[in-house]
Amino acid sequence: MSEERSETRFGEFVLVRRHGYVAELVLDRPKVMNAVSTAMAGSIAEACAALAADREVRVSVVTSSHERAFCVGADLKERNSLSDAELVRQRPLARGAYTGVLELPMPTIAAVHGFALGGGFELALSCDLIVADGTAVVGLPEVSVGVIPGGGGTQLLPRRVGAARAAELIFTARRLEAVEAAELGLVDVLVEPGRDREEALALGARIAGNSPVGLRAAKRALRLGHGLDLRAGLEVEDAAWRSVAFSGDRVEGVAAFNEKRTPEWPGE
């Protein structure tokens, strides 16, 4: 993949790089292993809002600028300084970071190495796919410090690994190294140490070769249909199909297939 790219910074701690149709959202607070402060949470939410509004972005990849960590979760030093009233006011800002990633309309991939703990792992869980290298250590240790996963962990983890397995992992607060995490389905693709970003961007580029209208509709159907009974889920799928069946992408895709050429997606 070409390293030619444009860059946009959101606040001090978040950077978005563009690699063609793939956007890379970089967690960039390396002095504290990307611990998520209130300011950083706001920047993540702001970056995600910009990505969601950009129809040129077909895939987003969340990466880290720190060599030994993806993200270690909430900034507990900052949390310790907050009064109860300040914590209440801070909560919507914190949630905005996780919902921002979760609600990105295009396929989203996390590239994880080193520590991805607590809110850091929840950011990864908010993505559609997780690529992890051999150094990854993941977990939701919140109950060990008197709270619970509050960035979606109690809802997203059981959707990946089932209710009982999620309960065991959350109740014990234990950390899992890369191989066990892959075996249990906490991450989707396991790669050699140091290759998580490269492999995630390559996967993103492969996905981005497909119809942007189709990708967004497929994600919508997957997300909205999950947990519904089959009949209701099929209605969700049908609505998503109808949203693409008469699109310019569908016309171009069928024409390109019949003409044995690469599609030039209009994205509408």
Side-chain angles (χ1 to χ4, degrees):
M1 172 175 294
S2 171
E3 283 301 312
E4 294 181 6
R5 61 193 182 218
S6 62
E7 295 187 348
T8 304
R9 184 163 286 280
F10 294 84
E12 186 179 354
F13 305 125
V14 176
L15 179 68
V16 172
R17 296 192 184 109
R18 286 290 298 273
H19 308 265
Y21 293 113
V22 178
E24 179 185 5
L25 190 159
V26 186
L27 306 176
D28 189 29
R29 198 182 178 208
K31 290 183 179 180
V32 289
M33 292 188 171
N34 292 327
V36 181
S37 63
T38 303
M40 185 175 177
S43 294
I44 293 171
E46 182 185 358
C48 287
L51 290 174
D54 190 341
R55 298 295 298 188
E56 290 296 309
V57 177
R58 298 181 185 176
V59 178
S60 294
V61 179
V62 183
T63 70
S64 163
S65 66
H66 194 283
E67 293 182 355
R68 294 186 293 108
F70 175 73
C71 173
V72 293
D75 185 337
L76 295 184
K77 288 186 178 180
E78 180 191 61
R79 290 282 179 90
N80 193 49
S81 71
L82 299 178
S83 67
D84 288 352
E86 288 170 334
L87 185 60
V88 169
R89 289 194 295 270
Q90 191 251 13
R91 174 62 176 164
L93 297 173
R95 284 193 70 188
Y98 303 101
T99 56
V101 176
L102 185 65
E103 294 177 0
L104 283 169
M106 74 289 293
T108 305
I109 304 166
V112 174
H113 60 265
F115 297 111
L117 301 173
F121 188 42
E122 288 173 304
L123 286 174
L125 289 171
S126 297
C127 297
D128 300 295
L129 296 167
I130 302 174
V131 175
D133 82 355
T135 70
V137 178
V138 306
L140 297 175
E142 285 86 348
V143 298
S144 70
V145 294
V147 291
I148 70 166
T154 65
Q155 305 305 305
L156 295 170
L157 189 58
R159 283 167 166 78
R160 273 186 163 267
V161 301
R165 176 66 69 190
E168 183 263 321
L169 295 171
I170 291 171
F171 294 163
T172 62
R174 71 185 179 95
R175 302 178 180 189
L176 290 78
E177 296 188 357
V179 172
E180 184 181 8
E183 289 174 348
L184 296 182
L186 276 73
V187 304
D188 304 299
V189 181
L190 185 60
V191 300
E192 294 296 317
R195 292 185 56 84
D196 55 295
R197 175 179 177 270
E198 179 181 354
E199 294 290 347
L201 288 172
L203 176 58
R206 289 199 297 276
I207 293 171
N210 296 310
S211 158
V213 170
L215 289 172
R216 290 181 179 226
K219 175 166 179 172
R220 191 163 64 248
L222 284 163
R223 286 287 179 90
L224 294 179
H226 190 94
L228 300 179
D229 65 69
L230 179 59
R231 186 180 297 275
L234 290 173
E235 291 303 315
V236 168
E237 181 182 83
D238 186 65
W241 179 86
R242 291 174 186 276
S243 75
V244 302
F246 309 103
S247 68
D249 274 15
R250 194 275 302 175
V251 172
E252 169 62 10
V254 172
F257 177 83
N258 287 316
E259 295 165 16
K260 297 180 173 59
R261 60 175 174 81
T262 301
E264 297 182 8
W265 304 113
E268 57 185 20

